[in-house]
Amino acid sequence: MIFQTLQNQRCWQAFVRSHTPPTAGFRSHPAARDRLKNRISELAARDHLFRYGKDGVRPRRFALPMYSPPLRTFLDSRLRLELRCCGDPATALTAELAKAEGRGSAGDPVRFHLRVCNGGEAPWSGLIEVGLHRETSSPRFFLPGVLYGTNRGDHPLARSFHRHFPRLRPGPVEPPHAPRWSARSDQLTHPLAALHTAEGFLALSTAPQPPPGHPAIGFWCALEAGRAAIGCTFGHRDDPGLYRSPFAFEPPSEDPASALHLAPGEVFTGDVFVYCFGAECIGLGRLLEDTYRRFHAPPRAGEPPKEAVEAMAAAIVEDAYEPERKTFALIWMNPVEAPPGEPPRYSLAPPEQTTYRRFHEGGIAWTNGLVIAVPLLQAAARLGRPEWRIPARAVINDIVAHSLNPRTGLPYAAKIDGIWSNRGWWARWIESEGQPVGHPAYLVGQALCYLAKASEWEERAGETAPAAWDAFSARVLETILPSPTHAGAFPRFWDEETGSGYDDEGFAGCWVAAALAAHGARTGRKDWLMAAERAERHYFTSGVARMECVKTPLDVADAADAEGILGYIRLNRLLDEHAPEPERLQRLRHGLDYALSFVFCHNVRVPGPPLDAHPWSSAGGSITSVGNAVVHAMTNRILDDIEYARRRTNDPYLGERLRDIYRWGLQTFNRHDHDFFFGKRGWATEYFCQAGRYVLDIRLADGQRSNVWFAYHPWATASLIEGICGDLWERRADLAADHRGSD
């Protein structure tokens, strides 16, 4: 029986529907209808496709083809697999979608072989689309790295948001809302479209890279009242348009290069893998794993780990550290003169002709402060460079001594011109949400979590951490402890006048729970550990179980993101180390599945300058969020946590994903001056745009948009250092080696 795993489905039918672009009109062919009816009868008799319920075999209504020849489709009363073409209806296309093998499970999908032939005398141009449709009232969609759930399409939208991203909602197209969204395969971290309903998962995947000479492959999802659909296209069209940047919606371009072109007599073939199995939302991890194993490609080889740490740590100390300010600077290339009214432009000049400026704003965590200082302590311990501890300790001591707000007992998050406040560079993004700018839980919790790690690494180096570090943490945690909601969550912000919490939705407070776990384990404070455990259960239920975690980074509004989950993973690992539990370990694995959904399993062909001229690999790199589509290094911070889960579960898949992330970091910083078109050896940027989507309007001298930000972000190299210098240090030679084919 075709698609044997769908035994619980009530009825199978076969039908064909083709459609043309809106400007082409539709045609109906009675002869084709008759042929289709005969073919359906044959299929029903041979494969028992019309079985359902206790009533036995009964015919049901089916859709009719819009033009001949028919393109084969299988369906039931609630689900159908549909093949259609978008192109010239007069062209004599013949198409087959034949089942080859598989049961439809997460590890054994049904493989359908697609064959389309242009049997006419004229060339054909258009799209070949394969889709899965299901009647449902509560769908959740997944385009990894691009769309989770409906991307908050079912939530109220504050029109004051500066950033926008696709939101799925039935009804008319009113960007950012639309009933259908598509994404090119190089925008997705995994070539997969998935739909979750009460019955479980439907999903399909295909190879992310098109055959030579053919255009890009696309994936899409669509939502109507009572019906949901997902699919892929051979050839791609941005439907209904594209957020090339999060600040402006662009209508679809009619680029001939995006269409599939078939000459007379030409044949196009491809394989589509279809999944259908019962599971909760957390079953997405099983789909990601199978897609990874099917289409994985490793990142290229990079710098040897020890040399990489030496170069990156030296650059932080010598170039980024500012002794008078006790902070780390962002350094970016000076632009050249641009035409009036246009964005700044940058010339890819030789190093001796390039100048830079510095951005002096400091902070306690996220992109400055402790997340840079602590990896510097790690590098100092691993390489025997005690002089690197001096700037690290100076930054930490300054935060401990001067960042506290005396009115609230909570630390300010930013330091500008020597003055501590919460008016960091992110303040305008918070205000665009209609929120007051207060103490952000993300930065406060992360700073405290890294402060515990700083003490640990000082002790590893045989040093004594200042008592003021633990005293600072204890004071702040005692202030925070009464603030959880009844469910155990921590607020996203605290008022900087009263200390009261507000905005309880989202994942940012997970970093506070991680800090409680870190210091609770260090001190034996059971009340801190109990609060952390209660919060962990809440954040699993509210975010991880739905595979959608929002509201952690302060600059992406309510976009699903890959940063809050890092706090959950750290929290879960710390709790499991203190008191191992099988159920908690399983939740840790689910958290890792969500985090890995933002990590590329394959290497994309980067379009556009200047990255198209560089051998940079995307595999192992992580997208920040669905509203900030850049590839950055933050996931390298949790390599110790992934390794912990790998050892506890003995899961080789986690080891393979860990290796990708590790090796990606070794090739994503300047291995020599101007390696990434600017800067010195050991520098790295936080910003790679791999798929023609740009968050910033950075222009080259000729006016083309740049997919690299010519700026040195020391937090990015610190993230790479943290991943290399932690628990994986003794395995560095093995992890840097390529065991799975050529680069």
Side-chain angles (χ1 to χ4, degrees), residues 43 170 179-180 203 286 302 381 407 443 505 519 638 654 677-679:
L43 288 170
R180 172 179 168 127
R286 295 157 61 189
R407 295 185 299 278
L443 277 72
E505 185 187 25
H519 289 280
I638 62 161
L654 293 180
F677 315 102
F678 80 103

Side-chain angles (χ1 to χ4, degrees), residues 292-293 596 639 642-643 645-647 649-662 728 731 734-735 740:
Y292 176 88
R293 297 197 183 285
L596 292 172
L639 286 179
I642 301 175
E643 171 64 3
R646 183 198 68 81
R647 291 198 310 265
T649 62
N650 198 29
D651 188 340
Y653 168 67
L654 293 180
E656 293 167 21
R657 299 307 300 257
L658 181 152
R659 184 186 297 273
D660 282 350
I661 299 167
Y662 189 99
L728 298 169
R731 293 185 56 206
D734 173 67
L735 288 170
R740 297 166 293 177

Side-chain angles (χ1 to χ4, degrees), residues 311-389:
M312 292 186 290
I316 291 173
V317 173
E318 297 168 10
D319 300 325
Y321 178 57
E322 299 190 320
E324 294 182 1
R325 292 183 171 87
K326 294 183 176 58
T327 188
F328 303 99
L330 165 69
I331 305 172
W332 78 95
M333 190 163 67
N334 279 319
V336 297
E337 187 175 348
E342 292 194 8
R345 296 188 177 188
Y346 296 85
S347 175
L348 304 185
E352 62 273 11
Q353 299 177 20
T354 307
T355 60
Y356 298 87
R357 64 180 66 179
R358 302 174 74 87
F359 181 65
H360 302 292
E361 181 179 313
I364 60 174
W366 192 18
T367 59
N368 212 310
L370 280 135
V371 297
I372 303 175
V374 173
L376 207 53
L377 292 176
Q378 294 178 275
R382 292 301 192 189
L383 298 185
R385 299 292 296 270
E387 68 273 20
W388 290 349
R389 295 176 56 246

Side-chain angles (χ1 to χ4, degrees), residues 414-656:
K415 181 183 181 183
I416 305 172
D417 296 329
I419 299 174
W420 287 94
S421 74
N422 289 315
R423 301 295 305 180
W425 59 265
W426 59 83
R428 66 190 180 105
W429 303 109
I430 301 303
E431 290 171 335
S432 82
E433 300 180 33
Q435 296 272 26
V437 178
H439 296 282
Y442 180 17
L443 277 72
V444 171
Q446 190 178 70
L448 297 178
C449 195
Y450 273 77
L451 198 49
K453 191 169 185 174
S455 297
E456 173 194 338
W457 276 89
E458 284 293 82
E459 293 160 4
R460 282 196 186 192
E463 304 291 339
T464 301
W469 292 6
D470 283 340
F472 175 89
S473 297
R475 178 178 176 182
V476 176
L477 290 174
E478 286 298 308
T479 302
I480 288 173
L481 201 56
S483 67
T485 66
H486 68 279
F490 290 93
R492 190 177 174 213
F493 300 100
W494 293 279
D495 187 275
E496 58 185 19
E497 294 295 331
T498 67
S500 58
Y502 57 94
D503 193 354
D504 295 333
E505 185 187 25
F507 228 69
C510 197
W511 275 103
V512 176
L516 284 165
H519 289 280
R522 278 180 57 79
T523 63
R525 285 283 300 267
K526 292 184 179 180
D527 55 338
W528 291 356
L529 289 168
M530 290 175 61
E533 290 172 352
R534 185 168 180 239
E536 184 271 322
R537 291 190 292 270
H538 165 79
Y539 287 114
F540 177 81
T541 303
S542 65
V544 178
R546 303 175 71 248
M547 289 283 134
E548 184 183 13
C549 304
V550 301
K551 289 192 174 184
T552 296
L554 304 179
D555 60 344
V556 297
D558 60 348
D561 68 81
E563 296 186 23
I565 193 63
L566 306 185
Y568 178 82
I569 291 166
R570 182 68 49 84
L571 162 65
N572 220 312
R573 178 257 178 103
L574 291 167
L575 290 174
D576 195 73
E577 278 185 323
H578 181 73
E581 292 182 6
E583 295 81 5
R584 182 183 293 127
L585 186 63
Q586 190 62 44
R587 295 196 296 272
L588 171 58
R589 170 58 194 267
H590 296 321
L592 287 169
D593 286 336
Y594 176 75
L596 292 172
S597 76
F598 286 89
V599 177
F600 278 91
C601 76
H602 60 105
N603 291 310
V604 305
R605 299 169 186 166
V606 180
L611 209 51
D612 59 352
H614 195 283
W616 175 83
S617 296
S618 60
S622 176
I623 290 178
T624 308
S625 75
V626 302
N628 196 12
V630 297
V631 182
H632 71 165
M634 209 167 280
T635 304
N636 288 68
R637 292 176 179 173
I638 62 161
L639 286 179
D640 280 1
D641 308 288
I642 301 175
E643 171 64 3
Y644 175 83
R646 183 198 68 81
R647 291 198 310 265
R648 288 273 282 121
T649 62
N650 198 29
D651 188 340
Y653 168 67
L654 293 180
E656 293 167 21

Side-chain angles (χ1 to χ4, degrees), residues 106 141-144 147-148 190 192-196 201 203 277 279-291 546-548 590 593-594 597 653:
F141 301 86
F142 298 98
L143 300 178
L147 191 141
Y148 294 78
H190 298 67
L192 173 74
L195 166 65
H196 184 264
F201 269 103
F277 60 93
E280 300 295 329
C281 257
I282 50 178
L284 178 66
R286 295 157 61 189
L287 288 170
L288 296 172
E289 181 174 351
D290 191 72
T291 306
R546 303 175 71 248
M547 289 283 134
E548 184 183 13
H590 296 321
D593 286 336
Y594 176 75
S597 76
Y653 168 67

